[in-house]
Amino acid sequence: DARVTQTPRHKVTEMGQEVTMRCQPILGHNTVFWYRQTMMQGLELLAYFRNRAPLDDSGMPKDRFSAEMPDATLATLKIQPSEPRDSAVYFCASGLPQGNFYEQYFGPGTRLTVT
Amino acid sequence: GDSVTQMEGPVTLSEEAFLTINCTYTATGYPSLFWYVQYPGEGLQLLLKATKADDKGSNKGFEATYRKETTSFHLEKGSVQVSDSAVYFCALSGDSNYQLIWGAGTKLIIKP
């Protein structure tokens, strides 16, 4: 049963520290999405990649967030420096095109707490 | 722009009750429509989908019919179980790109 994996599952860090979250998409999926979920804002799309190229990162604060896909089996989301308002659950999803949509498969998320 | 509106939660029901969670959308063209479910502490899972008008998506006893005339995609289940307690998200994928437009989510609580 193929699944998206994310590490770490939980991260507690102090303000100003660098945070790196990792995602392994389902083998063969050519698109990766990064989302942030908070109680106040709900689910927000931060960025997405197709064939490892960033297609849209307009949802991401550019000054402190960066997303990369160094190879087809790894996507990373980095926050430097982290701030308390970054506390959220970060989800990675992978998918394949199905006509005019992607059937997205979500990972279990990384719960980030910045103190 | 495209948007999705869901009924606010939480929705609290007793076991074996009938469930409806309303979802309406605004979109140009012919979007695809989805329901995702998020169980506590987990990521979202695709529950069902419909890609054209009058299509009915179904899975695990849940159903939703794509109604273009009313721009709706309401989620229904005839008899809910405690294990259905979760947050349910309605979403659409429009013609303009492949991104999903999400509703705010509806928390469902089923009491034994």
Side-chain angles (χ1 to χ4, degrees), chain A residues 37 45 56 100 102-103, chain B residues 32 38 44 49 93 98-99:
Chain A
Q37 186 179 41
L45 179 66
D56 187 349
N100 74 331
Y102 285 92
E103 193 160 309
Chain B
S32 296
Q38 184 178 27
L44 283 73
K49 65 179 185 287
S93 179
Y98 291 84
Q99 294 185 41

Side-chain angles (χ1 to χ4, degrees), chain B residues 2-6 23-26 33 89-92 101-104:
Chain B
D2 296 352
S3 66
V4 174
T5 303
Q6 288 181 237
C23 171
T24 56
Y25 68 90
T26 302
L33 301 173
F89 292 88
C90 185
L92 73 81
I101 307 299
W102 296 91

Side-chain angles (χ1 to χ4, degrees), chain A residues 9 33 35 37 42-43 45 48 50 56 91 97-109 111, chain B residues 30-32 34 36 38 41-46 49 51 89 93-95 97-100 102-104:
Chain A
R9 292 293 312 276
F33 302 81
Y35 291 93
Q37 186 179 41
L43 201 60
L45 179 66
Y48 77 101
R50 188 188 304 162
D56 187 349
F91 290 104
Q98 307 278 342
N100 74 331
F101 67 92
Y102 285 92
E103 193 160 309
Q104 296 186 31
Y105 293 81
F106 280 73
R111 181 174 294 277
Chain B
Y30 302 92
S32 296
F34 308 85
Y36 278 78
Q38 184 178 27
E42 297 184 12
L44 283 73
Q45 302 173 27
L46 178 63
K49 65 179 185 287
T51 58
F89 292 88
S93 179
D95 285 346
N97 59 48
Y98 291 84
Q99 294 185 41
L100 285 175
W102 296 91

Side-chain angles (χ1 to χ4, degrees), chain A residues 57-68:
Chain A
D57 60 2
S58 59
M60 211 162 61
K62 301 290 192 304
D63 56 339
R64 299 182 300 108
F65 284 60
S66 61
E68 295 179 343

